[in-house]
Amino acid sequence: MPASARPTISYLEAPPGTVDLAIVGGGIVGACTAWLASQAGLSVVVVEKRPALALLTTPVSTGAFRLQFDNPEEIALVREGVELFDAFAERTGLAGWDIDVRHQGYLFCALTEAAADRARRLVERQRGWGLDDIEVMDGDEARRRWPYLSADVIQARYRAGDGWLKPRLLALGYAAAASRRGAAFSLATEVTGFLRQGERVTGLRTTRGDVSASTVMLAVGPYLRPVAAMAGLDLDIRPTRRQRLIIPELPAIPADAPMVIEEETAAHWRPCYHGCIALFTEAGTPPSEPVDDVPVSRDWAVALLDPRSDHALSRVTPLFREVWARGDLDWAMMAGQYEMTADRRPLLGPSPIPGLWVNGGYSGHGVMTSPGGTRIVVEQLTGRPGSDGHPFAVDRQMVEREHDVL
């Protein structure tokens, strides 16, 4: 769709004086919340401190989605998200709005028997949860289908329905759909405090004026902890750096390739532009304070490309060894922060402080799980019967859980 023909987003110079729902944060989660809440009949404003929507974590996301999770609850959330992505223009009423959904699959490759055994046991559990379209194959079959795989790959698991999309187009689509329902967005508007009546939060103080609201929703990603603290709420959110290597020109990368992941290390790449993007989550990366400009590390990128590394991309895909040997590769880096929780699951719904709600803590899975998570939040907010019984309550007892490294 030409930009001139796109539905518009409703921007205000200052937030309105009174709304049903004031959302703090104009990223992909805040925009999704605005859409579903306005669709449910609530008057909504989103306040965003940056000069445009979806400028923090959304544009550095891989935009990927997969049903190959290690628990049925998140599988259900992702399935709900993918159903929306596949019918996005129809569901939002935005005729012609293309978020560039690519179902090219996730291909996990095992190099050791131990990793292969873990993968088989995981697939067995996934099938027990109703995920019956994952293929498990030996290395020879994997190389027949994807000839660029290493001879060291002994097993692969693959689901063709997994894939990726353009996350900023998704976020702006949510905002445009919300605007059609009457929601509005106030940019360059920073929250400085909360309005209160006794213990109850009744609105926001911002740099562009106060706004009274029946409910305030926090959807500020890695900034959840400091913003919640302004209202006296302590949230255990652990912002964790996540880097991305961008190789814009690499003709050897097939444009129709899946996401290719090493089971042992989770180093992975997928096609993007005329090359690929590559990622690796460093084990033991400590949490940090939330920042807008997340630093990048050249050594991190080199370790993905240098074949001597214990998590080099060439371990699974040898073409990266040739690329490194040539020494003429152009690449760039970006970084953002995951909003990690102790159990690696989102915080959804009312907080212990009356009037203050949370939609966040997606632990790196916000693009794919936030449509389902937001639906849960909005159903609770509007009092839909049976909407309270979910495992993502803000005040639940946390049990530390290892992070799903993708």
Side-chain angles (χ1 to χ4, degrees), residues 39-125:
Q39 193 175 47
L42 302 180
S43 59
V44 176
V45 67
V46 176
V47 297
E48 167 56 54
K49 74 175 185 178
R50 296 166 190 86
L53 296 175
L55 284 187
L56 184 61
T57 59
T58 302
V60 298
S61 163
T62 60
F65 54 83
R66 60 187 165 90
L67 266 65
Q68 295 186 69
F69 267 82
D70 62 358
N71 65 91
E73 295 83 10
E74 286 179 290
I75 288 174
L77 289 183
V78 179
R79 192 184 294 278
E80 188 171 340
V82 176
E83 289 172 356
L84 168 64
F85 304 152
D86 283 341
F88 189 75
E90 178 184 356
R91 292 273 298 274
T92 58
L94 303 177
W97 194 284
D98 183 7
I99 57 174
D100 198 21
V101 177
R102 305 288 183 95
H103 289 279
Q104 293 183 209
Y106 265 57
L107 179 68
F108 290 83
C109 300
L111 306 182
T112 67
E113 288 294 345
D117 180 62
R118 286 195 303 271
R120 288 190 295 269
R121 286 186 278 114
L122 174 59
V123 171
E124 184 177 349
R125 295 199 306 274

